[in-house]
Every structure is written in structure tokens, then in C-alpha cells.
């Protein structure tokens, strides 16, 4: 009896797919300490905003009348300036990630000048308010207007100091992929300043 040897085709085994060895896991941009600081600052502003809303609810006519006297065009211009500065900061971070140190420094310089524009507009507003004898004791609305905007104003000044330090670091080529912590930390702070204004402007200047 003749035996037939059947040759089976080779079995090709597909190796299991493995995740890349250097897969990037999500991370928090910047130093962890800055995020605790940001949360604390947002909480402080949140308390301010809640107190403003509560006081306004009990003084609607007064708040509406004095709010109407504010320079909304100046407030809107400052909104544009802060948003533009944040855009420039984003571009600076992107440039540093591409190892384009000069471009990063130029974007940061543009953000600084835009932030200085905010300062100039706000100082003009304060000068006009003081010329009309507006002070913290003038009325509940003026107390909140001056204290809230000045509190934010001081944060903008600190933000400009941070941006200047970041600009100096970018000029020296200090930021590159894998060494972005300082740049990202400063950027996170500046975006917080921007975010607070995006709440403060409609709350104090616009909403009736």
C-alpha cells in the first residue's frame, strides 16, 4: 500500500503588535507647582466674582447705571490684546518645540508688547475714573470695579515679568524639546491671566 506524504504549507504566524517603547503618555504642561498656584488664584477670583454677583443682585439699578458709564470699547480692546498675546505665547511654545529659538523669542517679544498695550489702555481707564472722583469708597460698584480690575492688573504685570524672563531664555536657546518646563510654566500662567479677563470683562462691563 503506497503511502502518500502530504506537505502542508508553512504557517505564517503574525507577531503580536506591541506598543511603541517610547509611547508618549499625557502629561501636564509646565511645573506642577504652577497649577496649584493657578487653582488658588482662580479660587480667589471666583470668590471675588461671587461677591460681586451677590452685591449686584441687591443693587441692580445702581450697578446698571454705573456700569453703563464704563468705557466698554477700552474693555473690548483689552480683550483683543490679551487674546492676541496668548496666541503669540502659543506660537512661541510651538517654535521652541521646533528648536527655532529666534522665532520663539520674537513671538514672546510680540506678546510682551501686546501685554504692555493692555497696561496702557487700563491706565488710561484708571486716569479717567480718578478724574471723575471715582474711588473704592464711591459706591459698591466702583469698589468692585477698581478692586477686581486692579487685582487682575497686578497679575498682568507679573505675567509680563514672566514673559520677559521667558524671552531672555528663548534668546539664549534655553528651551528645546525635552526641556520646555520653564516655557510651558510661564505660558500656563499667562493663559490663566487671559482666562480670568474673559470672565471679568463681560461680568463687570457688559452683563446687566
Amino acid at each position: 500500500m503506497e503511502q502518500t506524504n502530504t506537505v502542508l504549507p508553512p504557517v505564517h504566524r503574525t507577531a503580536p503588535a506591541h506598543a511603541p517603547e517610547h509611547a508618549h503618555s499625557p502629561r501636564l504642561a509646565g511645573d506642577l507647582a504652577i497649577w496649584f498656584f493657578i487653582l488658588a488664584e482662580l479660587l480667589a477670583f471666583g470668590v471675588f466674582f461671587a461677591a460681586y454677583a451677590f452685591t449686584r443682585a441687591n443693587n441692580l439699578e445702581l450697578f446698571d447705571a454705573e456700569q453703563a458709564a464704563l468705557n466698554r470699547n477700552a474693555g473690548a480692546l483689552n480683550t483683543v490684546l490679551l487674546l492676541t498675546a496668548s496666541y503669540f505665547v502659543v506660537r512661541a511654545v510651538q517654535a521652541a518645540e521646533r528648536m527655532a529659538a529666534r522665532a520663539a523669542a520674537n513671538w514672546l517679544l510680540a506678546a510682551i508688547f501686546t501685554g504692555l498695550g493692555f497696561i496702557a489702555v487700563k491706565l488710561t481707564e484708571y486716569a479717567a475714573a480718578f478724574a471723575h472722583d471715582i474711588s473704592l469708597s464711591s459706591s459698591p460698584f466702583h469698589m468692585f470695579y477698581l478692586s477686581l480690575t486692579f487685582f487682575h492688573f497686578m497679575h498682568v504685570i507679573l505675567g509680563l515679568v514672566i514673559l520677559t524672563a521667558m524671552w531672555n531664555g528663548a534668546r539664549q536657546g534655553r528651551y528645546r524639546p525635552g526641556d520646555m518646563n520653564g516655557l510651558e510654566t510661564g505660558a500656563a500662567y499667562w493663559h490663566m491671566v487671559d482666562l480670568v479677563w474673559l470672565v471679568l470683562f463681560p461680568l463687570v462691563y457688559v452683563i446687566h
Side-chain angles (χ1 to χ4, degrees):
M1 183 175 180
E2 185 178 353
Q3 185 176 1
T4 304
N5 294 326
T6 305
V7 179
L8 298 177
V11 178
H12 297 283
R13 301 179 185 273
T14 303
H18 295 285
E21 293 182 7
H22 303 288
H24 295 285
S25 57
R27 68 179 184 85
L28 200 61
D31 195 88
L32 180 61
I34 194 62
W35 289 101
F36 285 111
F37 179 77
I38 287 173
L39 289 175
E41 293 298 290
L42 291 177
L43 179 61
F45 275 106
V47 171
F48 257 125
F49 293 153
Y52 173 89
F54 177 81
T55 307
R56 184 184 182 280
N58 293 288
N59 300 273
L60 284 175
E61 292 184 3
L62 172 67
F63 271 57
D64 286 346
E66 295 184 342
Q67 183 188 62
L70 294 181
N71 189 340
R72 291 184 184 176
N73 291 332
L77 175 58
N78 267 344
T79 303
V80 173
L81 288 170
L82 281 187
L83 287 173
T84 303
S86 279
Y87 169 76
F88 290 156
V89 170
V90 169
R91 293 302 301 268
V93 173
Q94 293 172 343
E97 288 174 342
R98 299 193 310 270
M99 298 186 68
R102 177 177 294 183
N106 289 340
W107 284 116
L108 288 170
L109 188 61
I112 291 168
F113 279 112
T114 312
L116 289 173
F118 177 96
I119 295 294
V121 173
K122 183 53 64 181
L123 287 176
T124 302
E125 278 191 84
Y126 286 147
F130 297 148
H132 289 84
D133 296 324
I134 291 174
S135 66
L136 290 171
S137 58
S138 299
S139 71
F141 176 80
H142 290 147
M143 185 272 292
F144 277 107
Y145 163 70
L146 290 174
S147 58
L148 271 171
T149 58
F150 186 74
F151 189 38
H152 178 266
F153 181 84
M154 296 305 295
H155 282 73
V156 174
I157 291 177
L158 176 57
L160 288 172
V161 171
I162 293 172
L163 289 182
T164 302
M166 292 161 59
W167 170 69
N168 187 53
R171 288 176 61 226
Q172 297 174 8
R174 190 179 303 161
Y175 310 118
R176 59 181 62 87
D179 189 15
M180 297 282 292
N181 193 64
L183 186 62
E184 291 176 342
T185 298
Y189 177 84
W190 185 261
H191 294 320
M192 181 272 291
V193 172
D194 195 356
L195 174 63
V196 169
W197 180 258
L198 291 178
V199 178
L200 192 158
F201 170 63
L203 183 67
V204 176
Y205 286 76
V206 180
I207 296 175
H208 287 283

